[in-house]
Amino acid sequence: MPHIEIKTRKLIDSTLAQKMVDKGTIVSILTTGKITKPAKDLFDHAGIAWAENIPEREFMEIEAQEEG
């Protein structure tokens, strides 16, 4: 089932990116940290959208809205 992966880590490198691509179900990656250029290239090639440096407070605000 397609899903969005959210990571709260400092860095997503190409090794982790390849593991995520291999899952075959991820359509988008959001992270509070950085994504290396090789990892971005892997995501782009696999058609996976990505966003980096998302402040953690953004997730907290979304969670609060969903609960309300």
Side-chain angles (χ1 to χ4, degrees), residues 9-64:
R9 32 186 327 128
K10 292 185 179 186
L11 184 71
I12 295 177
D13 63 8
S14 60
T15 302
L16 179 58
Q18 187 62 59
K19 289 178 184 177
M20 295 187 334
V21 167
D22 290 345
K23 287 183 180 181
T25 57
I26 298 174
V27 295
S28 182
I29 305 285
L30 301 175
T31 182
T32 58
K34 293 194 178 277
I35 302 173
T36 65
K37 172 80 168 103
K40 290 175 184 177
D41 291 342
L42 284 170
F43 293 146
D44 289 343
H45 183 72
I48 297 173
W50 52 266
E52 61 184 337
N53 296 315
I54 308 289
E56 284 188 37
R57 72 178 186 287
E58 295 292 327
F59 295 113
M60 300 303 190
E61 290 171 11
I62 291 169
E63 183 179 317

